[in-house]
Amino acid sequence: MSIAEFRAALGDIPVEDHPRIVQQRSRDHYWYSPILKARLDQVTAEIVVSPRSVEEVKTVLREAHRHGVPITPRGAGTGNYGQAMPLSGGAMLNLMNLDKVIEITPERVRAQAGIVLEKLDEATKAAVGGELRFHPSTYRMASLGGFIAGGSGGVGSIRWGGLRNLGSILRLKVITCEAEPRELELTGEDILKVAHAYGTNGIIVEAEMPLAPAYEWVDMMVGFDDFIDACRFAEAVGRQDSLLLKELSPCAAPIPQDYFNRHKPYIKDGQSVVLIMAAPVAVDPLLVHLGHHGGELLYRADKIGETEKRRLPPIYELAWNHTTLRGLKVDPSITYLQTQYPTLEHVERIVSMLGDEMPMHIEMTRFDGRVVFSGLPIVRYTSEERLEEIIRIHEENDCLVFNPHRFTLEEGGMKRTDQAQLAFKHDADPSGLLNPGKMIAWDDPDFDLNSGRAWLFTGLEPAK
Ligand code: FAD
């Protein structure tokens, strides 16, 4: 690899080489995990390249291929698993300059990968009264390409499911890393070759997404004396097809009391809460359900003054991984897990087994027509061994864990190789230069994903 020759070949494409800035851009939110923090702290690229057009992306990839330079794509760097961290050094590919909206119709939007999701929604709302079906809680920062390559679902998933459900992404334009980079248009099932592949097998430069009607969503918080009652209510209203909801998240006490600072005046001692975004027409019927379930309305944003509204963050910034972020600000020793509980009984069992060691945070989501309990529980971290034990307790009780303390696609996912993603990497990145170390099947096809051992990328030196 020759970074100097690579750089010289880039012409006037902007390049940053100040070591502090490069190191800062070589990081994402990996520090949510004490395990990833120890493993990845020293990781850095040598330069950051910021192309301004698809043609410039092609030039970067052509020259990377010619000079053997590893390329790690980056949007806003809000991923949680070290996904956007350059394990082999080389260059960060900053895609945030590709931020144009290309076409909006009442049903769909086509835009470049670096556009911030909130900006994209502003454009579609103004043009056709539509918005993205769902977005991560990092809506105000995250890029469209980063969400597709690194995310899974979010605010809106209670109605629309996840990113990898067919129909959630309509078309991707991807650039390959070869002697002559190709521009590929992926549709239908081919989209899954690249969606949630961490940019290991192609650079997304453009995406076409379906739109849903935009609403003036009403932020609400309701309280329950018992967490399981809060979950029972959330499951019941989540199943009501007549209620248009965009967010539905039960959080067990003491999460709201300890972490939701600005909302504290509304939160009662000992109560668990459900965070809700409801369409205006859904609020009244939702309150009827709330009465039937013995819950209490703590707060609804359409009934407070403008000054108070401005003081409060949007409710989605208490939810998803913002819950964890707020927790980390109060208590940096905590961490979290990503789980899925097949039924309320599973939630109840795990809560009773782990108690206050794992304050529960659920996101209600829709999968294959069923409302399920996706978990992002807080973990009061003591050691890696205990964290593994907590994972084991989940698995022994038939609850899924998507381990957020691993940086590889396989270990953080379903613990199996995605053959379509691997085959696409052979085609689109034959030299293995894109985001090295994130796809075990590429580097170490014989690694036993069920061995219980964590895979360590050979290029990764132990943290000093
Ligand atoms: P980055 O972090 O920059 O990149 C993510 C991955 O995609 C990396 O592997 C990167 O290499 C790759 N990549 C980036 N751009 C491209 C491209 N154009 N082509 C190919 N590969 C690319 N995730 C959710 O799914 N739902 C949530 O609700 C959610 N909430 C979050 C809340 C907080 C507070 C935080 C810190 C994270 C959260 N996340 C969530 C994770 C993350 O924010 C989302 O995945 C987000 O969409 C990532 O966007 P980004 O632009 O920051 O991507």
Side-chain angles (χ1 to χ4, degrees), residues 12 17 110 127 148 176 190 210-211 220 229 282 302 312 321 343 345 352 378-379 383 408 413 423 437 453 457 459 462:
D12 70 347
D17 62 3
R110 200 150 58 88
I148 292 170
T176 62
D190 285 346
L211 296 177
M220 300 171 71
D229 288 343
D302 59 342
L312 296 171
N321 242 333
T343 65
E345 287 66 41
S352 71
I378 300 288
V379 176
S383 67
T408 61
R453 279 186 300 126
F457 181 51

PDB file of all heavy atoms in Angstrom, residues 12 17 110 127 148 176 190 210-211 220 229 282 302 312 321 343 345 352 378-379 383 408 413 423 437 453 457 459 462:
ATOM      1  N   ASP A  12      -7.694  16.957  -7.191  1.00  0.00           N
ATOM      2  CA  ASP A  12      -8.171  17.984  -6.242  1.00  0.00           C
ATOM      3  C   ASP A  12      -9.312  17.480  -5.340  1.00  0.00           C
ATOM      4  O   ASP A  12     -10.019  18.267  -4.720  1.00  0.00           O
ATOM      5  CB  ASP A  12      -8.577  19.254  -6.991  1.00  0.00           C
ATOM      6  CG  ASP A  12      -9.843  19.041  -7.803  1.00  0.00           C
ATOM      7  OD1 ASP A  12     -10.252  17.857  -7.982  1.00  0.00           O
ATOM      8  OD2 ASP A  12     -10.430  20.037  -8.255  1.00  0.00           O
ATOM      9  N   ASP A  17      -5.443  15.221   6.459  1.00  0.00           N
ATOM     10  CA  ASP A  17      -4.434  14.325   7.041  1.00  0.00           C
ATOM     11  C   ASP A  17      -3.986  14.751   8.434  1.00  0.00           C
ATOM     12  O   ASP A  17      -3.039  14.174   8.980  1.00  0.00           O
ATOM     13  CB  ASP A  17      -3.229  14.173   6.107  1.00  0.00           C
ATOM     14  CG  ASP A  17      -2.519  15.506   5.886  1.00  0.00           C
ATOM     15  OD1 ASP A  17      -2.925  16.515   6.500  1.00  0.00           O
ATOM     16  OD2 ASP A  17      -1.555  15.520   5.095  1.00  0.00           O
ATOM     17  N   ARG A 110     -35.645   9.625  -4.279  1.00  0.00           N
ATOM     18  CA  ARG A 110     -34.316   9.152  -4.673  1.00  0.00           C
ATOM     19  C   ARG A 110     -33.329  10.221  -4.243  1.00  0.00           C
ATOM     20  O   ARG A 110     -33.528  11.416  -4.531  1.00  0.00           O
ATOM     21  CB  ARG A 110     -34.279   8.950  -6.183  1.00  0.00           C
ATOM     22  CG  ARG A 110     -33.189   8.046  -6.680  1.00  0.00           C
ATOM     23  CD  ARG A 110     -33.619   7.332  -7.972  1.00  0.00           C
ATOM     24  NE  ARG A 110     -33.975   8.287  -9.010  1.00  0.00           N
ATOM     25  CZ  ARG A 110     -33.100   8.823  -9.874  1.00  0.00           C
ATOM     26  NH1 ARG A 110     -31.819   8.502  -9.818  1.00  0.00           N
ATOM     27  NH2 ARG A 110     -33.514   9.651 -10.804  1.00  0.00           N
ATOM     28  N   ALA A 127     -42.403  18.792  -0.551  1.00  0.00           N
ATOM     29  CA  ALA A 127     -42.769  18.520  -1.951  1.00  0.00           C
ATOM     30  C   ALA A 127     -44.087  17.760  -2.076  1.00  0.00           C
ATOM     31  O   ALA A 127     -44.935  18.115  -2.897  1.00  0.00           O
ATOM     32  CB  ALA A 127     -41.647  17.736  -2.630  1.00  0.00           C
ATOM     33  N   ILE A 148     -28.659   2.678   5.772  1.00  0.00           N
ATOM     34  CA  ILE A 148     -28.887   1.460   4.968  1.00  0.00           C
ATOM     35  C   ILE A 148     -27.765   0.437   5.187  1.00  0.00           C
ATOM     36  O   ILE A 148     -28.014  -0.750   5.315  1.00  0.00           O
ATOM     37  CB  ILE A 148     -29.014   1.835   3.469  1.00  0.00           C
ATOM     38  CG1 ILE A 148     -30.307   2.630   3.255  1.00  0.00           C
ATOM     39  CG2 ILE A 148     -28.957   0.597   2.574  1.00  0.00           C
ATOM     40  CD1 ILE A 148     -30.439   3.266   1.893  1.00  0.00           C
ATOM     41  N   THR A 176     -18.379  -0.250  -7.269  1.00  0.00           N
ATOM     42  CA  THR A 176     -17.490  -1.354  -6.894  1.00  0.00           C
ATOM     43  C   THR A 176     -16.057  -0.850  -6.744  1.00  0.00           C
ATOM     44  O   THR A 176     -15.728   0.247  -7.213  1.00  0.00           O
ATOM     45  CB  THR A 176     -17.517  -2.458  -7.978  1.00  0.00           C
ATOM     46  OG1 THR A 176     -17.035  -1.895  -9.213  1.00  0.00           O
ATOM     47  CG2 THR A 176     -18.920  -3.003  -8.182  1.00  0.00           C
ATOM     48  N   ASP A 190     -31.769  -8.304  -4.710  1.00  0.00           N
ATOM     49  CA  ASP A 190     -30.346  -7.944  -4.821  1.00  0.00           C
ATOM     50  C   ASP A 190     -29.952  -6.857  -3.817  1.00  0.00           C
ATOM     51  O   ASP A 190     -28.771  -6.737  -3.463  1.00  0.00           O
ATOM     52  CB  ASP A 190     -30.022  -7.465  -6.244  1.00  0.00           C
ATOM     53  CG  ASP A 190     -29.959  -8.626  -7.222  1.00  0.00           C
ATOM     54  OD1 ASP A 190     -29.898  -9.779  -6.749  1.00  0.00           O
ATOM     55  OD2 ASP A 190     -29.985  -8.375  -8.436  1.00  0.00           O
ATOM     56  N   PRO A 210     -39.208   4.201  -0.228  1.00  0.00           N
ATOM     57  CA  PRO A 210     -40.648   4.465  -0.277  1.00  0.00           C
ATOM     58  C   PRO A 210     -41.026   5.528   0.750  1.00  0.00           C
ATOM     59  O   PRO A 210     -40.353   5.668   1.775  1.00  0.00           O
ATOM     60  CB  PRO A 210     -41.253   3.112   0.115  1.00  0.00           C
ATOM     61  CG  PRO A 210     -40.205   2.474   0.962  1.00  0.00           C
ATOM     62  CD  PRO A 210     -38.874   2.960   0.466  1.00  0.00           C
ATOM     63  N   LEU A 211     -42.092   6.251   0.489  1.00  0.00           N
ATOM     64  CA  LEU A 211     -42.552   7.278   1.439  1.00  0.00           C
ATOM     65  C   LEU A 211     -43.865   6.851   2.083  1.00  0.00           C
ATOM     66  O   LEU A 211     -44.643   6.091   1.513  1.00  0.00           O
ATOM     67  CB  LEU A 211     -42.763   8.613   0.706  1.00  0.00           C
ATOM     68  CG  LEU A 211     -41.511   9.245   0.104  1.00  0.00           C
ATOM     69  CD1 LEU A 211     -41.883  10.517  -0.663  1.00  0.00           C
ATOM     70  CD2 LEU A 211     -40.486   9.561   1.192  1.00  0.00           C
ATOM     71  N   MET A 220     -45.859  11.574  23.305  1.00  0.00           N
ATOM     72  CA  MET A 220     -46.591  11.318  24.555  1.00  0.00           C
ATOM     73  C   MET A 220     -45.740  10.435  25.473  1.00  0.00           C
ATOM     74  O   MET A 220     -44.890   9.679  25.008  1.00  0.00           O
ATOM     75  CB  MET A 220     -47.897  10.557  24.266  1.00  0.00           C
ATOM     76  CG  MET A 220     -48.841  11.281  23.354  1.00  0.00           C
ATOM     77  SD  MET A 220     -50.224  10.224  22.849  1.00  0.00           S
ATOM     78  CE  MET A 220     -51.153  10.113  24.366  1.00  0.00           C
ATOM     79  N   ASP A 229     -47.160  -4.368  33.195  1.00  0.00           N
ATOM     80  CA  ASP A 229     -48.418  -3.743  32.746  1.00  0.00           C
ATOM     81  C   ASP A 229     -48.147  -2.752  31.612  1.00  0.00           C
ATOM     82  O   ASP A 229     -48.937  -2.637  30.664  1.00  0.00           O
ATOM     83  CB  ASP A 229     -49.097  -3.006  33.910  1.00  0.00           C
ATOM     84  CG  ASP A 229     -49.702  -3.975  34.920  1.00  0.00           C
ATOM     85  OD1 ASP A 229     -49.883  -5.162  34.553  1.00  0.00           O
ATOM     86  OD2 ASP A 229     -49.974  -3.552  36.071  1.00  0.00           O
ATOM     87  N   ALA A 282     -55.024   9.545  16.396  1.00  0.00           N
ATOM     88  CA  ALA A 282     -54.914   8.326  17.219  1.00  0.00           C
ATOM     89  C   ALA A 282     -54.866   8.635  18.707  1.00  0.00           C
ATOM     90  O   ALA A 282     -55.002   7.723  19.536  1.00  0.00           O
ATOM     91  CB  ALA A 282     -53.656   7.543  16.814  1.00  0.00           C
ATOM     92  N   ASP A 302     -48.868  18.029  22.401  1.00  0.00           N
ATOM     93  CA  ASP A 302     -49.782  18.977  21.752  1.00  0.00           C
ATOM     94  C   ASP A 302     -50.539  19.820  22.773  1.00  0.00           C
ATOM     95  O   ASP A 302     -51.314  20.692  22.397  1.00  0.00           O
ATOM     96  CB  ASP A 302     -50.760  18.234  20.820  1.00  0.00           C
ATOM     97  CG  ASP A 302     -51.608  17.202  21.548  1.00  0.00           C
ATOM     98  OD1 ASP A 302     -51.238  16.795  22.679  1.00  0.00           O
ATOM     99  OD2 ASP A 302     -52.646  16.784  21.008  1.00  0.00           O
ATOM    100  N   LEU A 312     -37.838  20.665  25.568  1.00  0.00           N
ATOM    101  CA  LEU A 312     -37.804  19.195  25.619  1.00  0.00           C
ATOM    102  C   LEU A 312     -37.263  18.598  24.326  1.00  0.00           C
ATOM    103  O   LEU A 312     -37.613  19.063  23.238  1.00  0.00           O
ATOM    104  CB  LEU A 312     -39.218  18.657  25.836  1.00  0.00           C
ATOM    105  CG  LEU A 312     -39.882  19.039  27.158  1.00  0.00           C
ATOM    106  CD1 LEU A 312     -41.353  18.620  27.142  1.00  0.00           C
ATOM    107  CD2 LEU A 312     -39.165  18.398  28.329  1.00  0.00           C
ATOM    108  N   ASN A 321     -31.381   3.799  20.640  1.00  0.00           N
ATOM    109  CA  ASN A 321     -30.113   3.868  21.380  1.00  0.00           C
ATOM    110  C   ASN A 321     -29.866   5.213  22.030  1.00  0.00           C
ATOM    111  O   ASN A 321     -28.812   5.427  22.635  1.00  0.00           O
ATOM    112  CB  ASN A 321     -28.944   3.446  20.485  1.00  0.00           C
ATOM    113  CG  ASN A 321     -28.281   2.219  21.058  1.00  0.00           C
ATOM    114  OD1 ASN A 321     -28.333   1.992  22.274  1.00  0.00           O
ATOM    115  ND2 ASN A 321     -27.656   1.419  20.227  1.00  0.00           N
ATOM    116  N   THR A 343     -42.307 -13.353  23.419  1.00  0.00           N
ATOM    117  CA  THR A 343     -43.613 -13.033  24.013  1.00  0.00           C
ATOM    118  C   THR A 343     -43.400 -12.205  25.282  1.00  0.00           C
ATOM    119  O   THR A 343     -42.283 -12.111  25.804  1.00  0.00           O
ATOM    120  CB  THR A 343     -44.369 -14.318  24.439  1.00  0.00           C
ATOM    121  OG1 THR A 343     -43.600 -14.927  25.509  1.00  0.00           O
ATOM    122  CG2 THR A 343     -44.528 -15.308  23.305  1.00  0.00           C
ATOM    123  N   GLU A 345     -44.297 -13.097  28.137  1.00  0.00           N
ATOM    124  CA  GLU A 345     -43.844 -14.011  29.199  1.00  0.00           C
ATOM    125  C   GLU A 345     -42.304 -14.078  29.219  1.00  0.00           C
ATOM    126  O   GLU A 345     -41.694 -14.166  30.282  1.00  0.00           O
ATOM    127  CB  GLU A 345     -44.410 -15.431  28.997  1.00  0.00           C
ATOM    128  CG  GLU A 345     -45.902 -15.569  29.315  1.00  0.00           C
ATOM    129  CD  GLU A 345     -46.787 -14.783  28.368  1.00  0.00           C
ATOM    130  OE1 GLU A 345     -46.519 -14.767  27.139  1.00  0.00           O
ATOM    131  OE2 GLU A 345     -47.748 -14.133  28.847  1.00  0.00           O
ATOM    132  N   SER A 352     -37.487 -10.784  35.728  1.00  0.00           N
ATOM    133  CA  SER A 352     -37.468 -11.306  37.104  1.00  0.00           C
ATOM    134  C   SER A 352     -36.116 -11.965  37.410  1.00  0.00           C
ATOM    135  O   SER A 352     -35.659 -11.955  38.551  1.00  0.00           O
ATOM    136  CB  SER A 352     -38.631 -12.266  37.354  1.00  0.00           C
ATOM    137  OG  SER A 352     -38.390 -13.454  36.654  1.00  0.00           O
ATOM    138  N   ILE A 378     -30.589  -1.803  29.308  1.00  0.00           N
ATOM    139  CA  ILE A 378     -29.379  -1.265  29.934  1.00  0.00           C
ATOM    140  C   ILE A 378     -28.752  -2.405  30.747  1.00  0.00           C
ATOM    141  O   ILE A 378     -29.472  -3.185  31.380  1.00  0.00           O
ATOM    142  CB  ILE A 378     -29.760  -0.119  30.905  1.00  0.00           C
ATOM    143  CG1 ILE A 378     -30.480   1.011  30.152  1.00  0.00           C
ATOM    144  CG2 ILE A 378     -28.561   0.384  31.703  1.00  0.00           C
ATOM    145  CD1 ILE A 378     -29.628   1.840  29.255  1.00  0.00           C
ATOM    146  N   VAL A 379     -27.429  -2.487  30.732  1.00  0.00           N
ATOM    147  CA  VAL A 379     -26.750  -3.489  31.570  1.00  0.00           C
ATOM    148  C   VAL A 379     -25.794  -2.766  32.511  1.00  0.00           C
ATOM    149  O   VAL A 379     -24.963  -1.973  32.064  1.00  0.00           O
ATOM    150  CB  VAL A 379     -25.956  -4.500  30.701  1.00  0.00           C
ATOM    151  CG1 VAL A 379     -25.170  -5.462  31.589  1.00  0.00           C
ATOM    152  CG2 VAL A 379     -26.883  -5.270  29.776  1.00  0.00           C
ATOM    153  N   SER A 383     -18.272  -7.133  34.323  1.00  0.00           N
ATOM    154  CA  SER A 383     -17.137  -7.769  33.645  1.00  0.00           C
ATOM    155  C   SER A 383     -17.622  -8.395  32.341  1.00  0.00           C
ATOM    156  O   SER A 383     -18.824  -8.629  32.155  1.00  0.00           O
ATOM    157  CB  SER A 383     -16.536  -8.874  34.527  1.00  0.00           C
ATOM    158  OG  SER A 383     -17.483  -9.934  34.643  1.00  0.00           O
ATOM    159  N   THR A 408     -17.994  -7.506  13.982  1.00  0.00           N
ATOM    160  CA  THR A 408     -18.205  -8.195  12.706  1.00  0.00           C
ATOM    161  C   THR A 408     -19.693  -8.372  12.409  1.00  0.00           C
ATOM    162  O   THR A 408     -20.518  -8.441  13.327  1.00  0.00           O
ATOM    163  CB  THR A 408     -17.546  -9.592  12.704  1.00  0.00           C
ATOM    164  OG1 THR A 408     -18.132 -10.384  13.727  1.00  0.00           O
ATOM    165  CG2 THR A 408     -16.044  -9.490  12.919  1.00  0.00           C
ATOM    166  N   GLY A 413     -24.801 -10.303  14.296  1.00  0.00           N
ATOM    167  CA  GLY A 413     -26.084 -10.641  13.679  1.00  0.00           C
ATOM    168  C   GLY A 413     -26.554 -12.020  14.087  1.00  0.00           C
ATOM    169  O   GLY A 413     -26.554 -12.368  15.265  1.00  0.00           O
ATOM    170  N   ALA A 423     -20.690 -13.491  -1.659  1.00  0.00           N
ATOM    171  CA  ALA A 423     -20.511 -13.651  -3.108  1.00  0.00           C
ATOM    172  C   ALA A 423     -20.406 -12.273  -3.773  1.00  0.00           C
ATOM    173  O   ALA A 423     -19.595 -12.065  -4.680  1.00  0.00           O
ATOM    174  CB  ALA A 423     -21.681 -14.442  -3.693  1.00  0.00           C
ATOM    175  N   GLY A 437     -11.957  -6.576   7.750  1.00  0.00           N
ATOM    176  CA  GLY A 437     -12.086  -7.108   9.102  1.00  0.00           C
ATOM    177  C   GLY A 437     -13.513  -7.193   9.628  1.00  0.00           C
ATOM    178  O   GLY A 437     -13.736  -7.653  10.742  1.00  0.00           O
ATOM    179  N   ARG A 453     -15.996 -18.323  20.995  1.00  0.00           N
ATOM    180  CA  ARG A 453     -14.835 -17.411  21.005  1.00  0.00           C
ATOM    181  C   ARG A 453     -15.164 -16.163  20.205  1.00  0.00           C
ATOM    182  O   ARG A 453     -15.874 -16.234  19.209  1.00  0.00           O
ATOM    183  CB  ARG A 453     -13.635 -18.088  20.326  1.00  0.00           C
ATOM    184  CG  ARG A 453     -12.872 -19.056  21.197  1.00  0.00           C
ATOM    185  CD  ARG A 453     -11.622 -19.541  20.475  1.00  0.00           C
ATOM    186  NE  ARG A 453     -11.907 -20.222  19.219  1.00  0.00           N
ATOM    187  CZ  ARG A 453     -11.379 -19.906  18.045  1.00  0.00           C
ATOM    188  NH1 ARG A 453     -10.560 -18.896  17.916  1.00  0.00           N
ATOM    189  NH2 ARG A 453     -11.674 -20.603  16.956  1.00  0.00           N
ATOM    190  N   PHE A 457      -9.635  -9.823  14.419  1.00  0.00           N
ATOM    191  CA  PHE A 457      -9.034  -9.530  13.109  1.00  0.00           C
ATOM    192  C   PHE A 457      -7.519  -9.504  13.262  1.00  0.00           C
ATOM    193  O   PHE A 457      -6.986  -8.847  14.156  1.00  0.00           O
ATOM    194  CB  PHE A 457      -9.556  -8.179  12.631  1.00  0.00           C
ATOM    195  CG  PHE A 457      -9.057  -7.762  11.292  1.00  0.00           C
ATOM    196  CD1 PHE A 457      -9.157  -8.624  10.201  1.00  0.00           C
ATOM    197  CD2 PHE A 457      -8.508  -6.514  11.099  1.00  0.00           C
ATOM    198  CE1 PHE A 457      -8.714  -8.235   8.950  1.00  0.00           C
ATOM    199  CE2 PHE A 457      -8.073  -6.110   9.849  1.00  0.00           C
ATOM    200  CZ  PHE A 457      -8.174  -6.968   8.774  1.00  0.00           C
ATOM    201  N   GLY A 459      -5.209  -8.038  11.675  1.00  0.00           N
ATOM    202  CA  GLY A 459      -4.544  -6.731  11.553  1.00  0.00           C
ATOM    203  C   GLY A 459      -4.690  -5.875  12.790  1.00  0.00           C
ATOM    204  O   GLY A 459      -4.141  -4.776  12.871  1.00  0.00           O
ATOM    205  N   PRO A 462      -3.484  -5.506  19.872  1.00  0.00           N
ATOM    206  CA  PRO A 462      -4.149  -5.288  21.156  1.00  0.00           C
ATOM    207  C   PRO A 462      -4.014  -3.826  21.578  1.00  0.00           C
ATOM    208  O   PRO A 462      -2.992  -3.203  21.304  1.00  0.00           O
ATOM    209  CB  PRO A 462      -3.396  -6.194  22.131  1.00  0.00           C
ATOM    210  CG  PRO A 462      -2.642  -7.133  21.285  1.00  0.00           C
ATOM    211  CD  PRO A 462      -2.414  -6.483  19.959  1.00  0.00           C
TER     212      PRO A 462
END
